Amino acid sequence: MALSAALPPNWPVVRVYFGITVILALIRWTELARVVRGRFLALREEDFVLAARLVGSSERRIILRHMVPSFLSHIIAALTLDIPRIILAETALSFLGLGLRPPAISWGVLLQEGQNLRSVALAPWVLWPAAAVVISILAFNFLGDGMRDAADPYAS
């Protein structure tokens, strides 16, 4: 929130959008890097990597031909599960006025109108963006869960 609040308020909408995108990417990449590092360290001890070393494969070949294909689906599933977090973060920042601001169209900007109880009573459709946020987050979570299950069919 502090980084997005540091963006100048007089920036055009497109620049604010890219600034928020860069901020969210800088914050979220560390978790994926930790997952990739942990997966690489776990795969390094597997039997197929040892077999590739014993036949004389180079480290580069072992990484590119054996290790990366075995955890690429895991990374794709992790990224798919991370999309709802980024959607929710952008929506929350825009709702609080720290992200995109009117006249930009964002779910958070649209939900700002739903803060006023009088506007909700007169126009209940201003809460439809909340339903869109919930549906999209659930859809991406289900997609990520399905991809994770497809990536590791032997996990219980």
Side-chain angles (χ1 to χ4, degrees), residues 81-154:
L81 288 171
D82 206 29
I83 291 172
R85 293 182 195 148
I86 293 173
I87 290 173
L88 200 56
E90 189 279 325
T91 302
L93 287 173
S94 296
F95 177 75
L96 295 172
L98 298 174
L100 296 174
R101 298 170 193 94
I105 301 297
S106 168
W107 282 332
V109 172
L110 294 175
L111 286 172
Q112 278 181 340
E113 294 179 23
Q115 267 185 302
N116 187 356
L117 189 58
R118 182 173 295 163
S119 68
V120 172
L122 295 174
W125 55 84
V126 298
L127 291 179
W128 285 359
V133 169
V134 169
I135 290 170
S136 66
I137 287 174
L138 286 175
F140 275 113
N141 275 332
F142 290 145
L143 177 69
D145 284 341
M147 290 179 75
R148 184 178 54 209
D149 292 344
D152 193 10
Y154 300 110

Side-chain angles (χ1 to χ4, degrees), residues 26-46:
L26 287 174
I27 292 171
R28 298 301 306 169
W29 79 270
T30 56
E31 184 177 342
L32 182 62
R34 183 183 53 82
V35 169
V36 169
R37 181 182 181 276
R39 191 78 171 160
F40 253 108
L41 291 176
L43 283 175
R44 186 175 63 178
E45 305 302 323
E46 292 290 328

